[in-house]
Amino acid sequence: MSAKNQEKKDVDQVSATCLYDLLHIDTKENWNDESDEQTSSSNSSAAKKRLASFSSESGNELCADCGSPSPKWVSANLGAFVCIKCSGVHRSLGVHISKILSVNLDEWTEEDVDNVIKLGGNEAVNSKYEDSIPENRRKPQPDSSIEDRSDFIRRKYVMQQFLNMEEQLSCPFNPAALNCSSAGLNSVVEKKYLNSMCMHNISQAFLNTRKRKDAEVKPARKSNSTAGMVEFVGLIKVNVVRGIDLVIRDVRSSDPYVMLCLGNQSVKTRVIKNNLNPVWNEKLMLSIPDDIPPLKVVVFDKDKFTTDDYMGEAEVDIEALVSAAKALENGNANEAEKKLAEDKDKPNVNKNGVVKLAERKAKQEVSLKLQNVESGEIVIEIECVPLTQ
């Protein structure tokens, strides 16, 4: 075989190998993606089983706040298992007080479950936050009104009126640590410093005691705010999919995140750095008040040293979605279809997206054009979740 023919044969073999690799690269990548998804799903399933097992342990099988059986919600940062009614009040407190997640509906990692277990569950939570409930104040019951439920939960977690007084009176500064400090303070200065810090703690404990006594004697004041003072008719799971052509708020880009508001509740996505077309694919959940307000979507640019910059907002009417979901929950798919047909002709209903019924679920895919800014869209998917889940 001539050198020229041999060279041509080698080139053909290399080309065939490259062509084979190109034809199969998608298959390999797809296989890897499917493998990763299966592994992630398997890990989440295992984590959920551990969480479900922990939720059935003694103390966790009843709501930490009202005693309702089989609570299906947990405050991830407090470690308390609560019922659907109390979870709505927790959401109104803000995630800095209580971050509510579903035992069944949310995705869980092993680390998330470890954190909840370390917090000790309902017995540990109540031993701290219900150490000294006054005799004239009772915990809510499963059939208590939302007003009584909200009042107690706010006193328990926000005002912290039932904490152990010994913890509040204890001085967190160790005298021995002061004696061996590298600053070389003399004994007189050390004594004055120690006394001042202990006096501060005692005065703070006195103020807390005064508030507690006032709470025992005086009835709860009526608040102008209706936060947490409403009944909930369901839940919506919102998947914040992506942003499109968002506005620039930094020098060349933005660090956007999305805040969802429904009534007095608000939740937000993670921040994505330097991206005007961010992809979140992040699922968030909110309770639906009886008087159904629109879902408000607001976009911000995260700033470290100044107030976050506004990047636009939009609203979604979810009444048709909730109405259809209720009909489905009652086992009446025909009624759900009828309601959707009636709502199509109503003004301002589903103007951003059509409600669809699939697999006995009501879903709405929405592309929202952001208002009060130069450009930007947010794509979200909304699903109405029955209270029974």
Side-chain angles (χ1 to χ4, degrees):
M1 182 182 293
S2 66
K4 186 174 182 181
N5 289 338
Q6 181 64 40
E7 182 180 352
K8 183 175 184 301
K9 183 178 179 181
D10 292 341
V11 170
D12 289 342
Q13 287 178 344
V14 171
S15 299
T17 302
C18 293
L19 179 61
Y20 177 85
D21 290 340
L22 287 171
L23 289 172
H24 287 77
I25 190 169
D26 288 341
T27 304
K28 290 177 182 178
E29 289 178 353
N30 289 340
W31 185 87
N32 288 334
D33 290 342
E34 289 175 4
S35 178
D36 291 342
E37 288 178 5
Q38 290 174 357
T39 301
S40 177
S41 177
S42 176
N43 291 340
S44 178
S45 178
K48 281 186 178 181
K49 286 182 180 178
R50 288 182 59 217
L51 184 64
S53 176
F54 183 59
S55 70
S56 63
E57 291 185 7
S58 177
N60 297 337
E61 78 280 9
L62 299 177
C63 174
D65 298 324
C66 75
S68 293
S70 303
K72 298 178 181 178
W73 302 86
V74 59
S75 172
N77 56 321
L78 293 173
F81 290 87
V82 296
C83 68
I84 182 66
K85 291 184 177 180
C86 289
S87 73
V89 180
H90 275 256
R91 282 194 185 90
S92 71
L93 304 180
V95 293
H96 62 293
I97 301 293
S98 181
K99 183 178 180 180
I100 289 292
L101 297 174
S102 168
V103 174
N104 301 322
L105 300 173
D106 282 302
E107 296 297 320
W108 289 87
T109 65
E110 293 289 349
E111 184 181 2
D112 293 335
V113 175
D114 287 340
N115 290 335
V116 171
I117 292 175
K118 284 178 183 177
L119 290 168
N122 288 359
E123 290 185 353
V125 171
N126 286 346
S127 67
K128 175 182 178 180
Y129 289 98
E130 294 184 2
D131 180 77
S132 52
I133 299 178
E135 293 182 1
N136 65 337
R137 185 166 297 282
R138 293 178 57 202
K139 285 190 66 169
Q141 301 300 306
D143 59 349
S144 292
S145 68
I146 196 68
E147 288 81 5
D148 291 342
R149 201 182 298 267
S150 179
D151 180 65
F152 179 85
I153 289 173
R154 287 175 179 280
R155 290 178 184 275
K156 179 178 177 179
Y157 298 109
V158 181
M159 301 169 71
Q160 299 185 1
Q161 291 183 346
F162 316 135
L163 285 180
N164 188 334
M165 288 303 299
E166 291 183 1
E167 290 184 7
Q168 297 182 43
L169 284 169
S170 63
C171 181
F173 296 89
N174 184 359
L178 285 173
N179 291 335
C180 60
S181 65
S182 60
L185 298 176
N186 62 53
S187 59
V188 175
V189 174
E190 289 175 358
K191 189 180 239 184
K192 286 183 178 180
Y193 178 72
L194 178 61
N195 288 341
S196 66
M197 296 312 300
C198 287
M199 286 301 296
H200 170 76
N201 288 336
I202 292 172
S203 63
Q204 188 63 44
F206 173 78
L207 290 174
N208 288 341
T209 305
R210 183 65 177 271
K211 289 179 181 178
R212 183 177 303 173
K213 287 183 177 179
D214 289 344
E216 293 174 11
V217 176
K218 299 177 183 178
R221 291 183 180 179
K222 295 290 183 180
S223 173
N224 291 328
S225 172
T226 58
M229 295 293 188
V230 293
E231 293 288 354
F232 299 103
V233 298
L235 303 154
I236 55 169
K237 184 192 294 184
V238 184
N239 180 25
V240 182
V241 181
R242 68 183 187 276
I244 303 171
D245 193 24
L246 301 182
V247 294
I248 296 174
R249 286 293 181 261
D250 295 330
V251 178
R252 294 182 179 178
S253 186
S254 295
D255 303 330
Y257 68 90
V258 178
M259 178 171 286
L260 303 177
C261 304
L262 191 66
N264 292 290
Q265 307 162 80
S266 62
V267 291
K268 61 183 180 180
T269 66
R270 68 188 184 280
V271 177
I272 295 184
K273 298 285 187 179
N274 299 321
N275 202 323
L276 299 180
N277 294 280
V279 176
W280 285 282
N281 272 327
E282 189 169 344
K283 294 181 176 65
L284 303 169
M285 204 168 301
L286 293 157
S287 299
I288 305 171
D290 189 24
D291 183 14
I292 305 170
L295 173 67
K296 188 172 183 179
V297 180
V298 191
V299 186
F300 292 98
D301 166 57
K302 183 67 177 177
D303 284 328
K304 287 185 178 179
F305 306 109
T306 60
T307 305
D308 294 348
D309 296 318
Y310 175 81
M311 296 177 66
E313 63 183 79
E315 287 189 351
V316 185
D317 191 309
I318 62 170
E319 286 193 25
L321 177 73
V322 176
S323 179
K326 284 183 179 179
L328 283 178
E329 190 175 1
N330 294 330
N332 197 335
N334 291 333
E335 182 66 21
E337 293 281 4
K338 182 180 177 182
K339 286 182 177 294
L340 290 180
E342 292 173 352
D343 287 331
K344 282 182 181 178
D345 298 327
K346 292 181 180 179
N348 300 323
V349 174
N350 299 330
K351 62 181 179 180
N352 301 114
V354 178
V355 178
K356 298 180 180 178
L357 305 180
E359 300 176 353
R360 299 190 60 78
K361 294 179 180 178
K363 297 182 178 181
Q364 186 173 0
E365 297 180 4
V366 187
S367 180
L368 297 168
K369 183 174 178 59
L370 297 175
Q371 305 298 311
N372 306 318
V373 284
E374 307 91 286
S375 65
E377 293 181 34
I378 293 291
V379 179
I380 63 175
E381 299 170 345
I382 313 172
E383 178 185 338
C384 195
V385 182
L387 286 176
T388 53
Q389 293 195 30

